[in-house]
Amino acid sequence: MDLRRLVPLLMVLLVVQLGLASFSLGNMVLKVQHKFAGRLRNLTEFKAHDARRHSRLLSSVDLPLGGNGHPAETGLYFAKIGLGHPSKDYYVQVDTGSDILWVNCIGCDKCPTKSDLGIKLTLYDPASSVSAARVYCEDDFCTSTYNGMLPGCKKDLPCQYNVVYGDGSSTAGYFVRDTVQFERVTGNHQTALSNGTITFGCGAQQSGGLGTSGEALDGILGFGQANSSMISQLASAGKVKRAFAHCLDNVNGGGIFAIGELVSPKVNTTPMVPNQAHYNVYMKEIEVGGTVLELPTDVFDSGDRRGTIIDSGTTLAYLPEVVYDSMMNEIRSQQPGLSLHTVEEQFICFKYSGNVDDGFPVIKFHFQDSLTLTVYPHDYLFQISEDIWCFGWQNGGMQSKDGRDMTLLGDLVLSNKLVLYDIENQAIGWTEYNCSSSIKMKDDKSGSVYSVGAENLSSASHLLSGRIATLLSLLFAMLHRLT
C-alpha cells in the first residue's frame, strides 16, 4: 500500500481522538482532596479556618460578584484543574459558598509562593496561553456582573474586580477569558480530558491571610448560583446542567465532585430559600435523641439571612445562641454525670471512655418537605486525645454581631453524605453514602448512564493520551520513511 495514502487517514484519526476530548463536557468530575487528610484533628486549626471564613462570609463590604459574601482562605477540599492552552495545572479550593473562579497571576503582589499542603503553586500568565483574552469593562460579562457599566469605563479598560473581606484581607485583579480543562465522564469509571471557555479572575494583589497562608492554594473555584460562577457560565454555553453533587470523605480524605444529572442514588430534596447569596434551605425543627427542641418559631428566619446555610467550605456547625443552649442542655440531660470543661478557651470538652455512639444522642435536623439530616455522635464529637472528646457544635452568639443569628451547617454534618445541588430546580438534597463507592450520572446528550467513583477517575484520560501518542509515533515514523 502507498504509505502516502495512509498519512491523511492517520491525520483524520488523530483529529478524531483530539476532538473527542473537546466535543462536549456532558458530565464532569473533580477528584477532590481534603487538606487535613491523614492529620490529627486540631480544633483550634478548624475554628481558626472558620473564623477567617465567616468574617468574610458575613461581611457587608463586598462587590456585586453574585453574592454578599465570599470566602478567601483555603478551604477544606481542593482539586486540580487545567487553565490555558497549553494547559497548566492549578490547585483551587472547591467551594459552594462563593461564585467566581480566581487564581493568582504572574506579577502578583504578595501572592503565596509555597504551600504546606505538599503541592506546587503556579502563577497564571495570560501571555503564555494562546487562548487567553482580557475582558474589558464594556464586555457583557462585566456589565452583567456589576449590573451596569463601571464608572469611568472607556475602550480597552480591563474589567477589574476588588473584593474586600470583613477581616481586612482582599483580593484584586482583572478578569480574563481562557480555556478551563476538566475530566469528562465517557464511560463507567472512565473520563477523558475536555474543555470549555470561561471568564475568571486574574489575581494581581492579595493582602491579609490570602498572601501569607501556610496552607495556600492557587485560588478558589466557586460553585455558587450567580451568573459569574463557572457552572453558570458552562450551563449558559450548553455544556452542562446547573446541577452538581459532592461526597466528601472525612476519614480518608477526598471524595467525589461531579457536575451534571445525578441518577443514583436517589436523593430526596428540599426547596432553596429564594433570592439568597448562598445555598439556604428551610429548617423546621431539631430533634435530640427523640426529643423535639422547644424553640422560637422564627429562630431560623432572621432578617436578610433567611434559612439555614449549607456550606461545605466551613468545618464545624454554627447555631443561634438559643438553639445552641437548648441543644446542649438536652444532650447533657442524657448524660447527667458528664463533667464539662473548656479547652483552649473555646471548646466544650469532656472525658469519656466508652463508645460515644452508645452514650450520646443522635441529632436530627428536619427541613421542609420532610427531608431529614441525621447527625451521629461520632460526627459531632471530636476526639483530641485519649478519652478526651469535644463538641463540634458552635455557639453563634459568640460570633460577630452579623453572625450571632446565623444557622450554618458545614463539613461536620455534610461529610460521608452525598449532597445534591439542583440549581435549575432550586432544590438541595442529601443521603447517607459511602464516599469511596460510586454514583451514577446521566449524559444529557447521549442519555447514557455512567458510574463515577472516587478512585481511578483519570484512567480514561491516560488511555486517551496513550492512543494519541501511538498515532503520533506511527505518523512520524511513516513521514520519516517518506522523506
Side-chain angles (χ1 to χ4, degrees):
M1 179 182 290
D2 188 350
L3 291 178
R4 290 180 173 83
R5 297 177 62 182
L6 279 178
V7 173
L9 175 59
L10 285 170
M11 290 297 292
V12 170
L13 290 174
L14 179 60
V15 170
V16 168
Q17 290 290 336
L18 291 171
L20 286 174
S22 58
F23 173 73
S24 169
L25 289 179
N27 295 321
M28 299 187 302
V29 292
L30 288 175
K31 189 171 184 179
V32 292
Q33 182 172 336
H34 197 298
K35 78 174 184 180
F36 294 136
R39 294 166 55 183
L40 181 65
R41 287 179 172 178
N42 184 308
L43 290 182
T44 299
E45 189 176 31
F46 283 177
K47 189 67 177 289
H49 161 77
D50 287 354
R52 291 192 298 267
R53 178 180 178 80
H54 293 163
S55 66
R56 296 152 184 163
L57 181 72
L58 301 172
S59 173
S60 60
V61 183
D62 198 358
L63 294 178
L65 292 174
N68 60 6
H70 302 275
E73 187 66 318
T74 56
L76 290 178
Y77 293 87
F78 60 94
K80 183 174 68 175
I81 62 172
L83 290 175
H85 186 74
S87 179
K88 293 183 179 180
D89 292 335
Y90 299 86
Y91 294 89
V92 291
Q93 172 191 340
V94 176
D95 180 60
T96 59
S98 63
D99 293 309
I100 68 169
L101 163 64
W102 62 266
V103 293
N104 296 318
C105 282
I106 195 77
C108 174
D109 183 22
K110 296 184 179 179
C111 277
T113 58
K114 61 180 181 179
S115 173
D116 294 339
L117 299 177
I119 58 175
K120 179 183 178 181
L121 299 182
T122 303
L123 295 175
Y124 171 78
D125 183 3
S128 67
S129 173
V130 297
S131 53
R134 288 208 181 198
V135 176
Y136 296 100
C137 61
E138 70 271 17
D139 288 358
D140 290 342
F141 177 89
C142 195
T143 56
S144 63
T145 297
Y146 291 105
N147 297 318
M149 198 76 72
L150 288 173
C153 178
K154 58 183 179 180
K155 184 177 176 59
D156 296 334
L157 183 68
C159 180
Q160 299 179 350
Y161 78 90
N162 181 14
V163 182
V164 181
Y165 302 101
D167 65 348
S169 295
S170 66
T171 173
Y174 54 92
F175 285 108
V176 295
R177 186 175 293 111
D178 206 346
T179 300
V180 60
Q181 190 175 78
F182 284 98
E183 299 281 355
R184 177 174 59 91
V185 180
T186 57
N188 290 326
H189 299 279
Q190 292 185 337
T191 61
L193 290 179
S194 190
N195 57 66
T197 299
I198 64 168
T199 298
F200 58 92
C202 185
Q205 184 175 10
Q206 315 293 15
S207 70
L210 285 174
T212 59
S213 173
E215 293 158 351
L217 295 169
D218 290 315
I220 293 176
L221 174 55
F223 272 83
Q225 304 181 62
N227 292 334
S228 56
S229 72
M230 184 198 70
I231 188 170
S232 293
Q233 292 185 57
L234 293 176
S236 296
K239 298 283 189 179
V240 298
K241 285 191 172 183
R242 292 184 73 203
F244 62 94
H246 64 61
C247 198
L248 308 176
D249 188 340
N250 70 351
V251 177
N252 303 309
I256 306 170
F257 202 109
I259 303 173
E261 182 178 348
L262 177 68
V263 174
S264 178
K266 294 293 183 181
V267 176
N268 295 326
T269 61
T270 186
M272 290 187 203
V273 181
N275 304 317
Q276 298 295 300
H278 306 288
Y279 292 107
N280 294 35
V281 291
Y282 299 96
M283 187 185 293
K284 294 300 186 181
E285 60 184 19
I286 300 176
E287 181 182 343
V288 179
T291 300
V292 176
L293 301 181
E294 295 184 5
L295 300 170
T297 56
D298 62 346
V299 68
F300 300 120
D301 186 6
S302 56
D304 293 335
R305 293 189 179 86
R306 299 177 57 208
T308 297
I309 300 173
I310 304 297
D311 180 18
S312 64
T314 292
T315 313
L316 305 172
Y318 295 80
L319 305 169
E321 187 165 14
V322 63
V323 179
Y324 174 83
D325 289 342
S326 180
M327 177 185 289
M328 292 296 288
N329 288 337
E330 185 61 34
I331 293 175
R332 290 188 66 182
S333 72
Q334 300 188 27
Q335 277 286 348
L338 203 64
S339 178
L340 302 180
H341 61 277
T342 302
V343 173
E344 299 172 2
E345 299 182 354
Q346 54 187 330
F347 299 104
I348 305 301
C349 303
F350 55 92
K351 185 175 182 179
Y352 192 80
S353 58
N355 186 330
V356 293
D357 284 327
D358 295 333
F360 289 82
V362 172
I363 296 177
K364 295 183 178 181
F365 296 95
H366 298 284
F367 297 87
Q368 185 171 318
D369 290 353
S370 301
L371 183 64
T372 299
L373 181 64
T374 302
V375 186
Y376 300 96
H378 67 262
D379 292 323
Y380 65 79
L381 295 173
F382 294 95
Q383 187 174 18
I384 59 173
S385 63
E386 186 177 0
D387 296 341
I388 301 297
W389 296 80
C390 297
F391 287 96
W393 307 116
Q394 297 298 302
N395 184 354
M398 304 296 290
Q399 307 302 309
S400 66
K401 178 181 178 181
D402 285 340
R404 65 176 60 251
D405 294 326
M406 174 183 65
T407 307
L408 189 152
L409 303 180
D411 182 56
L412 177 81
V413 298
L414 298 178
S415 293
N416 306 311
K417 293 177 176 65
L418 181 65
V419 184
L420 169 67
Y421 301 77
D422 188 347
I423 306 173
E424 290 186 2
N425 295 308
Q426 286 292 285
I428 294 178
W430 48 76
T431 185
E432 294 183 31
Y433 206 65
N434 179 357
C435 295
S436 64
S437 59
S438 300
I439 63 175
K440 292 186 180 296
M441 304 290 293
K442 181 179 179 180
D443 185 272
D444 190 47
K445 295 185 181 299
S446 68
S448 300
V449 175
Y450 298 126
S451 294
V452 175
E455 298 178 355
N456 302 321
L457 293 181
S458 60
S459 59
S461 62
H462 294 165
L463 291 174
L464 176 66
S465 300
R467 289 196 295 267
I468 293 175
T470 301
L471 283 170
L472 283 174
S473 299
L474 184 57
L475 176 61
F476 291 154
M478 289 189 171
L479 290 175
H480 178 73
R481 290 182 63 183
L482 291 174
T483 57

